[in-house]
Coordinates of all heavy atoms in Angstrom, one line a residue:
Chain B
M201 N 45.4 27.0 12.5 CA 44.0 27.1 12.4 C 43.5 28.5 12.4 O 44.0 29.3 13.2 CB 43.3 26.3 13.6 CG 43.6 24.9 13.6 SD 42.8 24.0 12.4 CE 41.5 23.3 13.3
A202 N 42.5 28.9 11.6 CA 42.0 30.2 11.6 C 41.0 30.4 12.8 O 40.5 29.4 13.3 CB 41.3 30.5 10.3
F203 N 40.8 31.6 13.2 CA 39.9 31.9 14.2 C 38.8 32.9 13.7 O 39.1 34.1 13.4 CB 40.6 32.5 15.5 CG 39.7 32.7 16.6 CD1 39.0 31.6 17.3 CD2 39.4 34.0 17.1 CE1 38.2 31.8 18.3 CE2 38.5 34.2 18.2 CZ 37.9 33.1 18.8
G204 N 37.6 32.4 13.6 CA 36.5 33.3 13.1 C 35.2 32.5 13.0 O 35.2 31.4 13.5
D205 N 34.2 33.1 12.3 CA 33.0 32.4 12.1 C 33.1 31.7 10.7 O 33.0 32.3 9.7 CB 31.8 33.4 12.1 CG 30.5 32.6 12.0 OD1 30.4 31.6 11.3 OD2 29.5 33.1 12.7
P206 N 33.2 30.3 10.7 CA 33.4 29.7 9.4 C 32.3 29.9 8.4 O 32.5 30.0 7.2 CB 33.6 28.2 9.8 CG 33.2 28.1 11.2 CD 33.3 29.4 11.8
S207 N 31.0 30.0 8.9 CA 29.9 30.1 8.0 C 30.0 31.5 7.3 O 29.6 31.7 6.2 CB 28.6 29.9 8.6 OG 28.4 30.9 9.6
Q208 N 30.5 32.5 8.0 CA 30.6 33.8 7.4 C 31.8 33.9 6.5 O 31.7 34.6 5.5 CB 30.6 34.9 8.5 CG 29.3 35.0 9.3 CD 29.3 36.0 10.4 OE1 30.2 36.8 10.6 NE2 28.3 35.9 11.3
I209 N 32.9 33.3 6.9 CA 34.1 33.3 6.0 C 33.7 32.6 4.7 O 34.2 33.0 3.6 CB 35.3 32.6 6.7 CG1 35.5 33.1 8.1 CG2 36.5 32.6 5.8 CD1 36.7 33.9 8.3
R210 N 32.9 31.5 4.9 CA 32.5 30.8 3.7 C 31.8 31.7 2.7 O 32.0 31.7 1.5 CB 31.6 29.7 4.1 CG 30.8 29.0 3.1 CD 29.8 28.1 3.7 NE 30.4 26.8 4.2 CZ 30.6 25.7 3.4 NH1 30.0 25.7 2.2 NH2 31.2 24.7 3.8
L211 N 30.9 32.6 3.2 CA 30.2 33.6 2.4 C 31.2 34.5 1.6 O 31.0 34.7 0.4 CB 29.3 34.5 3.2 CG 27.9 34.1 3.6 CD1 27.3 35.1 4.5 CD2 27.1 34.0 2.3
V212 N 32.3 34.9 2.3 CA 33.2 35.8 1.7 C 34.0 35.0 0.6 O 34.1 35.6 -0.5 CB 34.3 36.3 2.8 CG1 35.3 37.1 2.1 CG2 33.6 37.0 3.9
V213 N 34.5 33.8 0.9 CA 35.2 33.1 -0.1 C 34.3 32.8 -1.3 O 34.7 32.9 -2.5 CB 35.8 31.8 0.5 CG1 36.6 31.0 -0.6 CG2 36.8 32.1 1.6
E214 N 33.1 32.4 -1.0 CA 32.1 32.1 -2.1 C 31.9 33.3 -3.0 O 32.0 33.1 -4.3 CB 30.7 31.7 -1.5 CG 30.6 30.2 -1.2 CD 29.2 29.9 -0.5 OE1 28.5 30.9 -0.2 OE2 29.0 28.8 -0.3
N215 N 31.7 34.4 -2.4 CA 31.5 35.6 -3.2 C 32.7 35.9 -4.1 O 32.6 36.3 -5.3 CB 31.3 36.8 -2.3 CG 29.8 37.1 -2.1 OD1 29.1 37.2 -3.1 ND2 29.3 37.1 -0.9
L216 N 33.9 35.8 -3.5 CA 35.1 36.2 -4.3 C 35.4 35.2 -5.4 O 35.8 35.5 -6.5 CB 36.4 36.3 -3.3 CG 36.3 37.4 -2.3 CD1 37.5 37.3 -1.4 CD2 36.2 38.8 -2.9
L217 N 35.2 33.9 -5.1 CA 35.4 32.9 -6.0 C 34.4 33.0 -7.2 O 34.7 32.9 -8.4 CB 35.2 31.5 -5.3 CG 35.7 30.2 -6.1 CD1 37.1 30.4 -6.6 CD2 35.6 29.0 -5.2
D218 N 33.1 33.3 -6.8 CA 32.1 33.4 -7.8 C 32.4 34.6 -8.8 O 32.4 34.5 -10.0 CB 30.8 33.7 -7.1 CG 29.6 33.7 -8.1 OD1 29.2 34.7 -8.7 OD2 29.0 32.6 -8.2
N219 N 32.8 35.7 -8.2 CA 33.2 36.9 -9.0 C 34.4 36.5 -9.9 O 34.4 36.9 -11.1 CB 33.7 38.0 -8.1 CG 32.5 38.8 -7.5 OD1 31.4 38.6 -7.9 ND2 32.8 39.7 -6.6
A220 N 35.4 35.9 -9.4 CA 36.6 35.6 -10.1 C 36.2 34.7 -11.4 O 36.7 35.0 -12.5 CB 37.6 34.8 -9.3
I221 N 35.4 33.7 -11.2 CA 35.0 32.9 -12.3 C 34.1 33.6 -13.3 O 34.3 33.6 -14.5 CB 34.3 31.6 -11.8 CG1 35.3 30.8 -10.9 CG2 33.9 30.7 -13.0 CD1 34.6 29.6 -10.2
R222 N 33.1 34.3 -12.7 CA 32.1 35.0 -13.5 C 32.7 36.0 -14.4 O 32.2 36.2 -15.6 CB 31.1 35.7 -12.6 CG 29.8 36.1 -13.2 CD 28.9 36.6 -12.1 NE 28.4 35.5 -11.2 CZ 27.4 34.7 -11.5 NH1 26.8 34.7 -12.6 NH2 27.1 33.8 -10.6
Y223 N 33.7 36.7 -14.0 CA 34.2 37.9 -14.8 C 35.4 37.5 -15.7 O 36.1 38.4 -16.2 CB 34.5 39.1 -13.9 CG 33.2 39.5 -13.2 CD1 33.2 39.8 -11.8 CD2 32.0 39.7 -13.9 CE1 32.0 40.2 -11.2 CE2 30.9 40.1 -13.3 CZ 30.9 40.3 -11.9 OH 29.7 40.7 -11.3
I224 N 35.6 36.2 -15.9 CA 36.5 35.8 -16.9 C 35.7 35.6 -18.2 O 34.7 34.9 -18.2 CB 37.2 34.5 -16.5 CG1 38.2 34.8 -15.4 CG2 38.0 33.9 -17.7 CD1 38.9 33.6 -14.8
K225 N 36.1 36.3 -19.3 CA 35.3 36.3 -20.4 C 35.2 35.0 -21.2 O 34.2 34.3 -21.3 CB 35.6 37.5 -21.4 CG 34.6 38.6 -21.2 CD 34.8 39.6 -22.3 CE 35.8 40.7 -21.9 NZ 36.0 41.7 -22.9
D226 N 36.4 34.6 -21.8 CA 36.3 33.3 -22.6 C 36.8 32.1 -21.8 O 36.0 31.3 -21.3 CB 37.2 33.5 -23.8 CG 36.7 34.7 -24.6 OD1 35.4 34.8 -24.8 OD2 37.5 35.5 -25.1
K227 N 38.1 32.0 -21.6 CA 38.6 31.0 -20.7 C 39.7 31.6 -19.9 O 40.3 32.6 -20.3 CB 39.0 29.8 -21.5 CG 40.1 30.0 -22.5 CD 40.5 28.6 -23.1 CE 41.6 28.8 -24.1 NZ 41.9 27.6 -24.8
G228 N 40.0 30.9 -18.8 CA 41.1 31.5 -18.0 C 41.4 30.7 -16.8 O 41.1 29.5 -16.7
K229 N 42.1 31.4 -15.8 CA 42.6 30.6 -14.7 C 42.4 31.5 -13.4 O 42.5 32.7 -13.4 CB 44.1 30.4 -14.9 CG 44.7 29.3 -14.1 CD 45.9 28.7 -14.7 CE 47.1 29.7 -14.5 NZ 48.4 29.1 -14.9
V230 N 42.0 30.8 -12.4 CA 41.9 31.4 -11.1 C 42.9 30.8 -10.1 O 42.9 29.6 -10.0 CB 40.4 31.2 -10.5 CG1 40.4 31.7 -9.1 CG2 39.4 32.0 -11.4
I231 N 43.7 31.6 -9.5 CA 44.7 31.0 -8.6 C 44.4 31.5 -7.2 O 44.3 32.7 -6.9 CB 46.1 31.5 -9.0 CG1 46.4 31.1 -10.4 CG2 47.2 30.9 -8.1 CD1 47.6 31.8 -11.0
I232 N 44.3 30.5 -6.3 CA 44.0 30.9 -4.9 C 45.2 30.5 -4.0 O 45.8 29.4 -4.2 CB 42.8 30.1 -4.4 CG1 41.5 30.5 -5.2 CG2 42.5 30.4 -2.9 CD1 40.3 29.6 -4.8
K233 N 45.6 31.4 -3.2 CA 46.8 31.1 -2.3 C 46.4 31.4 -0.9 O 45.7 32.4 -0.5 CB 48.0 32.1 -2.7 CG 48.6 31.6 -4.0 CD 49.8 32.6 -4.3 CE 50.2 32.4 -5.7 NZ 50.7 33.7 -6.3
L234 N 46.9 30.6 0.0 CA 46.7 30.7 1.5 C 48.1 30.8 2.1 O 48.9 29.9 1.8 CB 46.0 29.6 2.0 CG 44.4 29.6 2.1 CD1 43.9 28.4 2.9 CD2 44.0 30.9 2.9
K235 N 48.4 31.8 2.9 CA 49.7 31.8 3.6 C 49.6 32.5 4.9 O 48.6 33.2 5.2 CB 50.8 32.4 2.7 CG 50.5 33.8 2.3 CD 51.6 34.2 1.2 CE 51.2 35.5 0.6 NZ 51.8 35.7 -0.7
K236 N 50.6 32.3 5.7 CA 50.7 33.0 7.0 C 51.3 34.3 6.8 O 52.3 34.5 6.1 CB 51.5 32.1 8.0 CG 51.1 32.3 9.4 CD 51.9 31.3 10.3 CE 53.0 32.0 11.0 NZ 53.8 31.1 11.9
K237 N 50.8 35.4 7.4 CA 51.4 36.7 7.3 C 51.2 37.4 8.7 O 50.0 37.7 9.0 CB 50.7 37.5 6.2 CG 51.6 38.6 5.7 CD 50.9 39.2 4.4 CE 51.8 40.3 3.9 NZ 51.1 41.0 2.8
N238 N 52.3 37.7 9.4 CA 52.2 38.2 10.7 C 51.3 37.4 11.6 O 51.4 36.2 11.7 CB 51.8 39.7 10.7 CG 52.7 40.5 9.9 OD1 53.9 40.2 9.8 ND2 52.2 41.5 9.2
K239 N 50.2 38.0 12.1 CA 49.3 37.3 13.0 C 48.1 36.8 12.3 O 47.0 36.6 13.0 CB 49.0 38.1 14.3 CG 50.1 38.3 15.3 CD 49.6 38.5 16.6 CE 50.5 38.0 17.7 NZ 50.6 36.7 18.1
N240 N 48.1 36.8 11.0 CA 46.9 36.5 10.2 C 47.1 35.4 9.2 O 48.3 35.1 8.8 CB 46.5 37.8 9.5 CG 46.0 38.8 10.4 OD1 45.1 38.7 11.2 ND2 46.7 40.0 10.4
I241 N 46.0 34.8 8.8 CA 46.1 34.0 7.6 C 45.7 34.9 6.4 O 44.7 35.6 6.5 CB 45.2 32.8 7.7 CG1 45.7 31.9 8.8 CG2 45.2 32.0 6.4 CD1 44.8 30.7 9.1

Side-chain angles (χ1 to χ4, degrees):
Chain B
M201 298 289 260
F203 183 67
D205 185 322
S207 66
Q208 291 177 14
I209 307 252
R210 168 187 282 269
L211 272 179
V212 177
V213 178
E214 272 177 354
N215 265 307
L216 294 179
L217 191 54
D218 190 272
N219 281 350
I221 300 172
R222 195 174 293 277
Y223 298 134
I224 290 177
K225 258 193 272 179
D226 303 316
K227 61 178 183 182
K229 201 156 72 171
V230 171
I231 303 165
I232 299 175
K233 286 180 194 151
L234 269 185
K235 58 189 171 202
K236 208 174 107 180
K237 202 175 182 185
N238 302 326
K239 285 209 155 279
N240 294 299
I241 296 179

